[in-house]
């Protein structure tokens, strides 16, 4: 089918909200993760009564909503005055850097003193250590388990058996409840990508064949973040060509870039 449509002008865009395709964007609703979010919320609920929460180990494949589900629950708890600290252990891989990062989040500049953190935290809180299996050492877990009394510790990992190799002293103090995030089905992937397109693009800007290709490649990868990255680059490719429609060729070019 030949599309006879005037080209996109320089001051026009296909995106209604390109920020919703950012990796750090957390949608208001995390589709198909309601059960897991309830489990997370129930484990942290004692904090609302001034009691220590149940620690958690959340595991599952990359790009299936683990971190976003946790962040969404933490947003709800923040409205109830429960503060949270989130550290990515891939970019902050050792105890000194972790303690320094949490000091920064507390407003304690250029410091890595655990005692200063302990003195500053006077309310129930949650510590989230994302990509925990990328940490070079886990001494900080022992420190936070011992030094901070009213808290919850959430560990997020791609590896199911990660905690089995942790030092016994740390395991005995954390003893987390484990929550598995299963992989999305193809139908769920399709629904999630459809919802994100509604966030990000104006209506009618995607050709059905481009949508089908996007969904197929995302399902093969099993990673929603991959699909969202493809969506973003495909839209940018279409804009570079002044096209009012995202076509299959724009998705193919995006696949080359992302892979």
């Amino acid at each position: 089918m030949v599309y006879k449509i005037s080209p996109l002008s320089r001051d026009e865009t296909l995106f209604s909200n390109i920020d919703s395709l950012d990796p750090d964007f957390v949608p208001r609703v995390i589709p198909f993760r309601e059960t897991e979010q309830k489990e997370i919320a129930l484990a942290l609920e004692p904090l609302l009564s001034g009691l220590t929460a149940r620690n958690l180990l959340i595991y599952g494949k990359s790009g299936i909503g683990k971190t976003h589900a946790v962040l969404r629950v933490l947003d709800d708890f923040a409205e109830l005055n429960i503060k949270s600290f989130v550290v990515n252990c891939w970019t902050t891989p050792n105890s000194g850097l972790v303690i320094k990062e949490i000091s920064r989040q507390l407003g304690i500049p250029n410091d890595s003193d655990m005692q200063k953190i302990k003195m500053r935290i006077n309310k129930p809180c949650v510590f989230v250590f994302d990509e925990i299996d990328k940490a070079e050492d886990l001494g900080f877990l022992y420190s936070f388990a011992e030094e901070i009394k009213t808290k919850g510790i959430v560990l997020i990992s791609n590896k199911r058996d990660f905690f089995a190799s942790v030092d016994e002293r740390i395991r005995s103090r954390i003893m987390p409840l484990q929550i598995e995030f299963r992989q999305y089905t193809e139908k769920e992937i399709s629904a999630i990508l459809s919802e994100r397109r509604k966030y990000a693009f104006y209506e009618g800007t995607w050709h059905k064949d481009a949508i089908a290709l996007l969904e197929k490649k995302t399902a093969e990868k099993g990673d929603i973040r991959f699909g969202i990255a493809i969506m973003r680059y495909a839209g940018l490719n279409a804009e570079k060509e002044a096209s009012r429609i995202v076509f299959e060729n724009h998705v193919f070019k995006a696949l080359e870039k992302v892979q």
Side-chain angles (χ1 to χ4, degrees), residues 70-258:
V70 170
L71 294 178
R72 177 50 57 211
V73 172
L74 294 181
D75 281 348
D76 293 337
F77 273 72
E79 295 177 4
L80 300 170
N81 205 29
I82 302 296
K83 186 171 179 58
S84 58
F85 304 90
V86 181
V87 178
N88 187 303
C89 294
W90 200 328
T91 56
T92 311
N94 62 57
S95 292
L97 291 174
V98 168
I99 292 172
K100 190 171 184 177
E101 171 58 19
I102 290 179
S103 295
R104 185 194 66 78
Q105 293 181 30
L106 277 167
I108 309 172
N110 301 318
D111 211 330
S112 56
D113 189 332
M114 189 66 201
Q115 289 307 308
K116 288 184 180 179
I117 291 176
K118 181 180 178 180
M119 287 175 8
R120 184 68 65 92
I121 295 176
N122 53 17
K123 293 181 179 179
C125 63
V126 183
F127 297 100
V128 178
F129 300 108
D130 199 0
E131 305 281 6
I132 185 65
D133 48 280
K134 299 299 181 183
E136 295 168 0
D137 74 87
L138 297 172
F140 62 89
L141 286 181
Y142 186 91
S143 297
F144 284 103
E146 282 289 293
E147 299 290 342
I148 310 299
K149 298 306 178 187
T150 311
K151 82 288 182 182
I153 295 176
V154 179
L155 311 176
I156 304 176
S157 173
N158 294 343
K159 300 178 180 179
R160 178 175 186 170
D161 59 352
F162 154 76
F163 206 67
S165 61
V166 173
D167 186 281
E168 175 61 32
R169 292 171 300 173
I170 296 173
R171 278 191 290 151
S172 65
R173 282 162 176 79
I174 303 290
M175 292 189 297
L177 170 68
Q178 297 190 21
I179 299 177
E180 179 181 10
F181 273 55
R182 59 174 177 77
Q183 287 187 247
Y184 290 119
T185 65
E186 289 187 20
K187 186 175 180 180
E188 288 170 343
I189 287 172
S190 176
I192 293 168
L193 293 177
S194 176
E195 187 67 23
R196 192 61 67 93
R197 276 199 313 278
K198 292 177 185 177
Y199 273 114
F201 290 89
Y202 289 111
E203 187 176 355
T205 54
W206 274 72
H207 188 274
K208 62 180 179 63
D209 291 343
I211 293 173
L213 178 60
L214 170 69
E215 292 176 353
K216 176 186 175 184
K217 294 300 182 180
T218 305
E220 288 174 0
K221 195 80 170 176
D223 188 330
I224 292 295
R225 287 179 300 191
F226 174 81
I228 290 171
I230 296 299
M231 200 185 302
R232 180 190 181 99
Y233 284 116
L236 292 172
N237 290 337
E239 286 195 340
K240 284 179 185 176
E241 297 178 9
S243 174
R244 293 182 180 273
I245 304 289
V246 180
F247 292 108
E248 262 188 315
N249 67 298
H250 300 130
V251 177
F252 277 120
K253 288 180 181 177
L255 287 165
E256 291 174 5
K257 183 177 183 66
V258 173

